[in-house]
DNA sequence: GTAGGGTTAG
């Protein structure tokens, strides 16, 4: 019977009790260790307390047991009261401090004590390994370099352990060159772990090719960790398809995956937004009984969330049976973005702490669902509780005003905004201008627009659009020219508005000039709407040949809708008459429908 | 005869 297994330990223990036999100290020490390994702290403690004689092994085992359960205070008390301490005692305590959050300073102090050779204790390579991990965690490369120097000076054994940690430390501290130098200079001790550390380091630095090269050195050594490092490295660098392919390669190489492998594969699926592959992996996970792993569970949740399958995402969340505000927030964001406000609201109300992200999502969801009354209600609820200073929330409320053409509430929001000192927020200002213009008060829109000292593209777009939609095409064109004079770069939206204005005024030559300037001066590729605008412009001016010529220039021919449209246009070329009141998009849609 | 501390992929 193997005493290192829990079963073996229990059998030994019970037999000894039955026989009234006192276990030797070394056996009890082992039992303490085995119980602790299986999270049976209570049993370990009982054995330790009732031992007739203890040695340094007993103390070390008990200290480790407390560290394992994250009880560092208890561990330190034992450490201080132990009659004897050796290097293992120190290293155990140091290890506990280094991996726990908030005990980093204690770790450094303890290490300093060791350097002063307190109790004749001299840091060894285990100490150094642990300290390097701490540096990596704290991103403290300065201290890491000191440790590196210390290693060289004290000629502490260079082992696979120390080299791996050194590579890892440099890499996580963004010193890729140093990591690579260490790797290259430690040929004698390079093993699979060192290699994996270096592969991970390459990926952190975006050196995908180098990672692959190193991975294939001594390929027969590769195991699940090195393979998973490779897969997750590809995924992290955005190569999702390659990550999935490598997963297949790994299986073909006869290496069995574990839950970390699945976590990376799931990340690839959600990155690709591939519901099909996600479902396949989900099935695989279920078959392997890995669904209860929290990384895998959230990975599957993410697949469905990214694929906008909120019902499945919700199901996964509910089945995990773990209260998780992170998932709830995503459910709210997902449902809101789809305008499914009943579900979004259900989760929103269940959320204990609502932050600005969730509030914003709910507001914009209601806007998307065109439930402007809910927007106003929500805003009045929220502003009773607190001062709303999040620009995006106010943007949502203003958009609700636009939906409803509600000028008065819009003005109230504008006033509120000025009161809150949010008059400088660019996005908010643009929305205010848009709100005034769309609610029919162009004068106010103009006033606000002129009050802004530093105008950006979006602000200009909104004002130009305001002029254009109120029949002031010439003003729109003048403002566009002013925009160019002020050195503000127009974008696709600007050109769409301005071409539309030209179309409405029948300004063929000016429209041509602007259309050409898009690509020549601003490097903006015209989209289908821009072409449609030009075609309408020519059509309205009865320049049918030019219109046809333009249609043929549309470069997006792989689109079946466009090519179908083109073909039907060619058939109807002669019989086509152009109506007088085409808007910039009506042209397209009416022809598509025909 | 019997024992304890450290490395890589989320």
């Amino acid at each position: 019977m193997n005493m290192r297994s829990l079963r073996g330990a229990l059998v030994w223990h019970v037999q000894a009790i039955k026989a009234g036999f006192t276990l030797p100290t070394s056996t009890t020490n082992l039992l303490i260790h085995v119980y602790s390994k299986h999270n049976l702290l209570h049993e370990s403690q009982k054995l330790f307390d009732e031992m007739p004689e203890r040695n340094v092994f007993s103390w070390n085992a008990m200290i480790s047991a407390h560290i394992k359960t994250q009880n560092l205070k208890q561990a330190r008390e034992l450490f201080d009261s132990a009659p004897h301490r050796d290097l293992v005692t120190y290293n155990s305590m140091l290890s506990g401090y280094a991996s726990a959050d908030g005990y980093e300073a204690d770790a450094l102090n303890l290490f300093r004590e060791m350097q002063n050779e307190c109790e004749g204790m001299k840091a060894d390579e285990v100490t150094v390994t642990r300290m390097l991990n701490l540096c990596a965690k704290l991103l403290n490369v300065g201290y890491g370099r000191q440790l590196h120097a210390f290693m060289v000076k004290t000629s502490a054994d260079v082992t696979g352990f120390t080299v791996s940690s050194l590579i890892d430390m440099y890499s996580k501290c963004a010193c890729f060159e140093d990591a690579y130098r260490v790797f290259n200079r430690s040929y004698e001790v390079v093993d699979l772990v060192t290699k994996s550390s270096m592969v991970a380091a390459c990926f952190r630095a975006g050196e995908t090719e180098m990672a692959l090269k190193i991975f294939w050195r001594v390929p027969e050594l590769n195991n699940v960790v090195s393979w998973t490092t490779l897969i997750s490295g590809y995924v992290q660098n955005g190569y999702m398809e390659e990550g999935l392919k490598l997963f297949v390669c790994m299986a073909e190489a006869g290496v069995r995956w574990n839950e970390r492998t699945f976590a990376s594969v799931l990340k690839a699926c959600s990155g690709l937004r591939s519901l099909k592959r996600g479902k396949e992996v989900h099935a695989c996970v279920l078959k392997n009984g890995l669904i209860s792993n929290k990384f895998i569970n959230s990975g599957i949740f993410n697949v469905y969330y990214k694929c906008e399958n909120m019902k499945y995402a919700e199901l996964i969340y509910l089945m995990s049976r773990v209260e998780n505000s992170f998932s709830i927030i995503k459910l709210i964001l997902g449902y809101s973005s789809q305008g499914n406000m009943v579900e979004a609201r259900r989760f929103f109300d269940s959320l204990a702490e609502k932050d600005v992200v969730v509030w914003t999502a709910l507001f914009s969801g209601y806007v998307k669902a065109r439930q402007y009354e809910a927007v106003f209600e929500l805003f009045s609820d929220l502003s009773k509780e607190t001062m709303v200073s999040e620009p995006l929330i106010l943007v949502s409320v203003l958009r609700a005003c636009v939906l409803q053409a509600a000028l008065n509430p819009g003005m109230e929001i504008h006033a509120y905004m000025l009161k809150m000192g949010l008059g400088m927020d660019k996005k908010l200002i643009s929305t205010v201008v848009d709100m005034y213009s769309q609610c029919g008060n162009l004068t106010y829109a103009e006033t606000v627009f002129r009050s802004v000292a530093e105008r950006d593209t979006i602000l200009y777009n909104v004002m130009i659009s305001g002029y254009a939609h109120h029949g002031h095409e010439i003003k729109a064109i003048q403002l566009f020219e002013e925009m160019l004079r002020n050195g503000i770069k127009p974008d696709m939206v600007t050109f769409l508005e301005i071409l539309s204005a030209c179309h409405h005024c029948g300004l063929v030559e000016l429209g041509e000039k602007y259309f050409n300037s898009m690509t020549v001066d601003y490097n903006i590729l015209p989209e289908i709407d821009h072409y449609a605008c030009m075609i309408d412009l020519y059509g309205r001016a009865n320049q049918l040949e030019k219109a046809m010529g333009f249609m043929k220039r549309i470069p997006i021919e792989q689109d079946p809708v466009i090519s179908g449209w083109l073909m039907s246009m060619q058939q109807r070329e002669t019989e086509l008459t152009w109506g007088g009141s085409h808007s910039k998009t009506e042209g397209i849609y009416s022809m598509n429908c025909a």
Side-chain angles (χ1 to χ4, degrees):
Chain A
M1 185 64 73
N2 180 11
M3 244 201 33
R4 287 175 182 278
S5 73
L6 182 59
R7 202 183 141 74
L10 282 167
V11 169
W12 260 74
H13 194 178
V14 169
Q15 276 176 354
I17 291 170
K18 270 191 193 161
F21 173 68
T22 313
L23 288 164
T25 307
S26 60
T27 312
T28 312
N29 291 341
L30 182 56
L31 284 178
I32 292 175
H33 176 73
V34 173
Y35 284 149
S36 141
K37 209 168 76 186
H38 291 88
N39 298 313
L40 298 164
L41 180 73
H42 207 71
E43 316 304 317
S44 301
Q45 185 74 61
K46 196 157 178 288
L47 275 169
F48 181 77
D49 289 343
E50 291 170 1
M51 281 176 94
E53 251 180 76
R54 303 180 186 123
N55 60 15
V56 68
F57 288 91
S58 327
W59 291 89
N60 290 348
M62 203 56 226
I63 289 170
S64 293
H66 284 302
I67 286 170
K68 191 165 183 282
T69 54
Q70 311 259 31
N71 196 339
L72 289 164
K73 296 243 179 323
Q74 198 78 46
R76 183 65 199 229
E77 269 174 38
L78 272 181
F79 179 90
D80 288 332
S81 60
H84 307 291
R85 282 175 283 262
D86 64 6
L87 192 51
V88 176
T89 326
Y90 271 89
N91 283 339
S92 301
M93 199 63 233
L94 188 75
S95 187
Y97 283 147
S99 45
D101 286 324
Y103 288 89
E104 290 82 2
D106 298 277
L108 293 173
N109 286 333
L110 201 62
F111 180 61
R112 220 163 279 146
E113 268 182 49
M114 293 175 78
Q115 275 178 296
N116 297 334
E117 299 201 21
C118 154
E119 299 184 56
M121 222 55 65
K122 210 164 172 267
D124 70 351
E125 74 274 5
V126 176
T127 326
V128 171
T129 306
R130 223 56 194 88
M131 288 307 290
L132 285 169
N133 291 148
L134 183 61
C135 292
K137 183 176 146 195
L138 297 173
L139 302 177
N140 189 338
V141 71
Y143 206 92
R145 282 189 203 284
Q146 283 182 41
L147 281 165
H148 192 173
F150 174 84
M151 281 169 68
V152 176
K153 200 175 74 190
T154 60
S155 60
D157 281 348
V158 175
T159 64
F161 283 103
T162 47
V163 171
S164 306
S165 296
L166 207 47
I167 293 170
D168 193 56
M169 183 278 295
Y170 278 128
S171 157
K172 285 180 177 158
C173 294
C175 301
F176 173 71
E177 301 293 332
D178 296 273
Y180 189 63
R181 209 171 298 137
V182 170
F183 177 73
N184 258 348
R185 287 181 186 172
S186 318
Y187 248 108
E188 328 77 68
V189 292
V190 166
D191 59 5
L192 181 60
V193 179
T194 333
K195 194 177 88 163
S196 302
S197 308
M198 195 60 229
V199 170
C202 290
F203 280 121
R204 269 182 217 115
E207 297 282 349
T208 309
E209 277 177 39
M210 193 190 273
L212 196 62
K213 240 181 180 167
I214 294 173
F215 175 82
W216 285 118
R217 288 190 198 170
V218 206
E220 60 275 13
L221 286 182
N222 283 324
N223 66 358
V224 61
V225 177
S226 60
W227 272 101
T228 305
T229 308
L230 189 70
I231 294 168
S232 87
Y234 269 93
V235 173
Q236 271 163 9
N237 282 280
Y239 303 109
M240 312 298 176
E241 289 283 2
E242 285 80 355
L244 291 176
K245 274 184 201 145
L246 284 165
F247 176 60
V248 177
C249 290
M250 167 182 158
E252 282 170 358
V255 178
R256 194 169 163 80
W257 25 253
N258 63 18
E259 58 264 346
R260 290 198 189 203
T261 324
F262 270 125
S264 289
V265 170
L266 284 165
K267 210 176 255 178
C269 296
S270 52
L272 289 169
R273 309 236 181 323
S274 168
L275 190 61
K276 186 173 159 289
R277 290 159 186 270
K279 278 184 173 172
E280 281 168 16
V281 180
H282 185 183
C284 215
V285 164
L286 290 173
K287 221 167 80 185
N288 287 282
L290 294 170
I291 191 76
S292 56
N293 178 292
K294 68 172 182 178
F295 289 106
I296 293 195
N297 193 275
S298 79
I300 294 176
F301 177 90
N302 252 332
V303 168
Y304 291 126
Y305 170 71
K306 294 271 183 184
C307 294
E308 294 170 25
N309 194 327
M310 296 310 297
K311 272 288 155 226
Y312 274 32
E314 183 181 337
L315 217 58
I316 295 296
Y317 170 67
L318 292 177
M319 289 198 303
S320 76
R321 296 170 168 274
V322 183
E323 188 87 11
N324 174 357
S325 64
F326 202 69
S327 297
I328 297 183
I329 289 170
K330 281 189 166 171
L331 287 169
I332 297 167
L333 298 183
Y335 277 129
S336 294
S337 76
Q338 295 174 358
N340 187 342
M341 297 316 289
V342 176
E343 303 296 333
R345 190 58 186 257
R346 194 158 55 83
F347 283 105
F348 180 82
D349 290 335
S350 81
L351 195 62
E353 277 192 35
K354 303 168 172 75
D355 66 358
V356 68
V357 175
V358 185
W359 276 103
T360 309
L362 201 69
F363 271 106
S364 58
Y366 276 124
V367 173
K368 187 155 189 163
R370 305 181 91 75
Q371 297 180 28
Y372 41 78
E373 270 162 24
V375 176
F376 293 141
E377 229 168 80
L378 204 62
F379 183 70
S380 98
D381 286 351
L382 181 60
S383 51
K384 261 178 230 154
E385 275 176 41
T386 173
M387 300 299 276
V388 184
S389 60
E390 169 55 42
L392 287 178
I393 289 181
L394 294 171
V395 164
S396 288
V397 183
L398 285 167
R399 288 201 179 130
C401 297
V402 169
L403 277 176
Q404 201 190 13
L407 183 60
N408 285 335
M411 287 174 79
E412 276 175 39
I413 297 298
H414 186 197
Y416 184 88
M417 189 188 117
L418 294 173
K419 200 173 77 189
M420 293 294 296
L422 294 165
M424 298 304 286
D425 187 277
K426 285 197 164 140
K427 180 135 183 123
L428 205 39
I429 279 283
S430 305
T431 314
V432 168
V433 172
D434 195 42
M435 180 275 295
Y436 278 131
S437 136
Q438 292 213 46
C439 291
N441 198 321
L442 203 59
T443 316
Y444 276 19
E446 237 172 355
T447 311
V448 177
F449 175 81
R450 289 292 164 201
S451 75
V452 182
E454 277 184 41
R455 301 176 196 124
D456 62 3
T457 304
I458 293 175
L459 187 58
Y460 268 107
N461 286 354
V462 163
M463 197 63 232
I464 289 171
S465 158
Y467 282 137
H469 284 93
H470 283 84
H472 302 297
E473 283 87 1
I474 300 303
K475 273 193 172 176
I477 292 170
Q478 282 169 346
L479 193 61
F480 176 65
E481 293 288 350
E482 178 195 312
M483 177 182 183
L484 300 185
R485 276 199 305 277
N486 290 340
I488 310 297
K489 279 211 163 67
D491 63 5
M492 305 224 298
V493 178
T494 326
F495 277 108
L496 197 57
E497 293 295 347
I498 217 67
L499 291 177
S500 162
C502 291
H503 157 231
H504 280 282
C505 297
L507 297 165
V508 178
E509 278 170 31
L510 196 62
E512 277 177 337
K513 184 187 136 195
Y514 289 147
F515 186 87
N516 291 332
S517 131
M518 267 181 91
T519 33
V520 175
D521 301 325
Y522 298 100
N523 205 15
I524 302 169
L525 226 53
E527 293 208 337
I528 179 76
D529 284 346
H530 299 100
Y531 282 101
C533 236
M534 289 307 288
I535 292 163
D536 276 355
L537 174 62
Y538 287 128
R540 192 184 155 130
N542 271 326
Q543 302 185 12
L544 294 187
E545 260 172 50
K546 275 197 173 175
M548 285 309 298
F550 231 84
M551 269 188 232
K552 286 173 193 151
R553 275 176 62 191
I554 300 179
I556 330 165
E557 275 185 57
Q558 63 270 30
D559 188 330
V561 177
I562 307 289
S563 32
W565 173 46
L566 248 175
M567 265 156 50
S568 78
M569 283 310 296
Q570 277 157 350
Q571 276 168 8
R572 292 168 56 188
E573 187 171 359
T574 46
E575 49 187 275
L576 190 71
T577 49
W578 295 82
S581 66
H582 280 108
S583 83
K584 59 183 184 248
T585 47
E586 252 173 31
I588 295 178
Y589 295 134
S590 55
M591 280 183 273
N592 268 340
C593 293

